[in-house]
């Protein structure tokens, strides 16, 4: 299977020479095309910083990030804009929907920026909405939607452009357990149907149990990782909890 993502000895520092914090400490990882990877670790371990460096929201202090063979740490100007617009989709914890636009318009905007024809936009938005179970929400504004509906709209917006890589930062963090389960079932379905490559940061073992691989980060380095393989999700959840206990984290009982 071809490699989609290579993070090569990445370091990220914050602060000044008198007060320096190392968020990522020579971290390296590989993600193959079509994988669904969960990134876990205690607060301050570097999870979100890693995601931000891959998305180019933040620049690495040293090291390299390759997406589909291209070193995105060297991109500047228009090429960097095109990378953000076409090659990645980002799903935020707090949705980041535009309040003055309907759900349909929020999703369609990603295609309009790419100058996709109106007829094709309509077809693709309706198809993605059907996959995510939000067809009846398309003409509503964000304030009219539940948290779970908002996050599925945000998910549709991120995936409508067929990005090379989907990045999700705590996508269930603002949802109740029922909405979180619905979103994760949609994630798993889209991953299976579209062979999407998904990298998801989460603190929650239940959320991580939907992935095909879990990577644990501690102090800016990879602490442990393992694959789901043929495990039932409940057994995979138990394995995640076991590693969390070594990291000093806690599980949950939403299974």
């Amino acid at each position: 299977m071809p490699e989609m993502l290579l993070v090569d000895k990445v370091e990220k520092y914050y602060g000044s020479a008198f007060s320096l914090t190392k968020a990522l400490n020579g971290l390296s990882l590989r993600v193959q095309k079509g994988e669904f990877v969960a990134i876990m670790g205690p607060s301050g371990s570097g999870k979100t910083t890693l995601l931000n460096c891959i998305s180019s929201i933040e620049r690495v202090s040293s090291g390299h990030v390759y997406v589909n063979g291209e070193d995105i740490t060297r991109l500047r100007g228009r090429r960097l804009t095109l990378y953000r617009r076409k090659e990645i989709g980002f799903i935020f914890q707090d949705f980041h929907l535009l309040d003055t636009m309907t759900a349909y318009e929020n999703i369609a905007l990603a295609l309009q920026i790419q100058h996709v024809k109106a007829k094709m936009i309509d077809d693709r938005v309706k198809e993605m909405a059907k996959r995510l179970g939000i067809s009846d929400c398309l003409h509503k504004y964000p304030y009219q939607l539940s948290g779970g509906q908002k996050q599925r709209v945000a998910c549709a917006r991120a995936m409508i452009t067929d990005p090379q890589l989907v990045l999700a930062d705590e996508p269930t963090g603002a949802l109740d357990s029922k909405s979180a389960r619905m979103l994760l079932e949609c994630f798993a379905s889209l991953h299976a149907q579209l062979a999407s490559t998904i990298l998801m940061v989460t603190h929650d073992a239940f959320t991580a149990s939907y992935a095909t691989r879990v990577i644990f980060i501690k102090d800016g380095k990879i602490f442990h990782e393992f694959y789901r393989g043929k495990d039932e999700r409940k057994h995979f959840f138990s394995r995640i909890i076991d590693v969390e206990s070594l990291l000093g984290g806690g599980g949950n009982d939403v299974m």
Side-chain angles (χ1 to χ4, degrees):
M1 196 177 295
E3 189 171 82
M4 175 58 65
L5 172 68
L6 169 61
V7 177
D8 184 25
K9 300 175 183 176
V10 164
E11 297 189 347
K12 178 64 180 179
Y13 303 96
Y14 294 105
S16 65
F18 301 101
S19 179
L20 198 63
T21 299
K22 184 181 282 189
L24 296 176
N25 188 10
L27 188 147
S28 296
L29 68 86
R30 297 173 184 268
V31 176
Q32 305 301 313
K33 184 176 176 60
E35 276 198 272
F36 182 178
V37 180
I39 305 289
M40 299 190 72
S43 178
S45 61
K47 305 185 299 295
T48 296
T49 299
L50 173 62
L51 216 62
N52 288 343
C53 288
I54 294 169
S55 68
S56 79
I57 290 175
E58 297 187 52
R59 291 207 169 272
V60 303
S61 300
S62 66
H64 300 273
V65 177
Y66 299 89
V67 175
N68 216 18
E70 183 170 28
D71 186 353
I72 64 101
T73 60
R74 297 184 181 276
L75 299 181
R76 299 291 187 275
R78 177 170 171 75
R79 185 64 195 91
L80 181 59
T81 299
L82 289 174
Y83 166 72
R84 292 169 174 165
R85 184 183 298 171
K86 292 186 176 183
E87 297 179 35
I88 60 170
F90 208 116
I91 303 170
F92 300 89
Q93 178 178 338
D94 53 358
F95 322 129
H96 283 203
L97 299 178
L98 297 175
D99 293 334
T100 57
M101 290 184 171
T102 63
Y104 181 100
E105 291 167 340
N106 268 281
I107 299 168
L109 182 61
L111 294 174
Q112 291 168 342
I113 290 172
Q114 294 188 4
H115 306 293
V116 176
K117 292 181 180 179
K119 173 58 178 171
M120 292 181 64
I121 289 176
D122 189 61
D123 291 343
R124 288 170 66 175
V125 170
K126 289 177 179 177
E127 175 61 25
M128 184 59 73
K130 182 179 179 181
R131 289 178 185 271
L132 287 166
I134 51 172
S135 296
D136 59 343
C137 302
L138 288 179
H139 298 294
K140 295 181 179 180
Y141 289 89
Y143 76 89
Q144 298 173 305
L145 303 176
S146 68
Q149 290 169 332
K150 288 178 185 177
Q151 194 58 294
R152 279 181 282 161
V153 170
C155 180
R157 180 185 58 189
M159 303 189 79
I160 193 72
T161 58
D162 296 324
Q164 299 276 347
L165 182 63
V166 177
L167 305 173
D169 189 9
E170 299 281 7
T172 61
L175 305 181
D176 59 64
S177 59
K178 180 180 178 181
S179 296
R181 188 185 293 270
M182 289 179 65
L183 177 69
L184 292 166
E185 293 290 352
C186 288
F187 257 37
S189 177
L190 285 173
H191 174 251
Q193 294 173 24
L194 305 178
S196 304
T197 306
I198 303 173
L199 192 64
M200 175 179 68
V201 161
T202 182
H203 69 282
D204 178 48
F206 173 73
T207 299
S209 70
Y210 279 81
T212 56
R213 176 165 53 131
V214 178
I215 297 173
F216 294 87
I217 295 178
K218 184 178 182 180
D219 299 327
K221 295 181 178 180
I222 291 180
F223 173 78
H224 188 60
E225 65 176 305
F226 55 84
Y227 291 83
R228 178 172 173 176
K230 296 182 179 180
D231 281 354
E232 293 290 330
R233 192 171 59 78
K234 185 171 288 190
H235 183 236
F236 193 45
F237 173 82
S238 297
R239 291 171 63 195
I240 295 168
I241 292 294
D242 288 342
V243 177
E244 271 198 317
S245 67
L246 295 176
L247 281 167
N252 55 42
D253 57 359
V254 293
M255 294 294 286

